[in-house]
Amino acid sequence: MANWIFNESHYEERDFSIIPEGNHRMRVSDVTEKTFRSGNAGYEIVFEVSGYSSKIWYYLVLNPAEVEQTNQRIGAFFASFGINDVQRGNGKNWIGKVGAAYVKHEPYNGKESAKIRYFLNKKKQETLPPWQDKAATTQPQPQGFVEVNPDDLPFM
């Protein structure tokens, strides 16, 4: 039989509902170098989304057959997240950087899925609200008692 001591302080109730379409602040939470099925190298980038528990995965494929398009995608990502020359070489240096992207919905395996359509430049990010931690997953608790006249209750 498995032996485990559960620590409730490590548990957090999460809501994994789909991120709505639109502009969102995002923070890089993980980066993994990969070789994709195409044989091209690149990065799997995981983003936290401001105000949500769900995350979005983005695949930055370095495609030597499409140099200009690949450089455009890399440049848009770096500009949005403020990644400078020194930080560009190692994907792990991108973790914690905050930028923004436009999210769209598209079908994936028979379900709607949130995908990054494009990254927002710094000018377009000015209209977004500041970073917000994950949305609360519990209902707000009452802050006090209200005195009620028993004659006003329908069930007494």
Side-chain angles (χ1 to χ4, degrees), residues 16-21 55-57 59 103-117:
F16 294 103
S17 56
I18 190 168
I19 304 297
E21 288 187 327
K55 295 183 178 186
I56 292 183
W57 277 253
Y59 302 95
V103 172
K104 68 173 183 165
H105 291 171
E106 63 182 40
Y108 179 75
N109 287 341
K111 291 199 243 177
E112 284 294 299
S113 178
K115 300 287 183 190
I116 293 174
R117 175 74 177 112

Side-chain angles (χ1 to χ4, degrees), residues 145-156:
F145 295 97
V146 176
E147 197 167 319
V148 177
N149 182 343
D151 295 333
D152 293 337
L153 297 175
F155 49 82
M156 298 255 345

Side-chain angles (χ1 to χ4, degrees), residues 6 24 46 48 69 117 120-121 123 135 142 146:
F6 173 67
H24 295 277
V46 183
E48 296 172 330
Q69 182 182 10
R117 175 74 177 112
L120 301 178
N121 63 35
K123 182 75 175 160
V146 176

Side-chain angles (χ1 to χ4, degrees), residues 89-109:
N90 180 347
K92 295 298 180 184
N93 292 333
W94 308 342
I95 295 173
K97 295 287 188 180
V98 176
Y102 177 80
V103 172
K104 68 173 183 165
H105 291 171
E106 63 182 40
Y108 179 75
N109 287 341

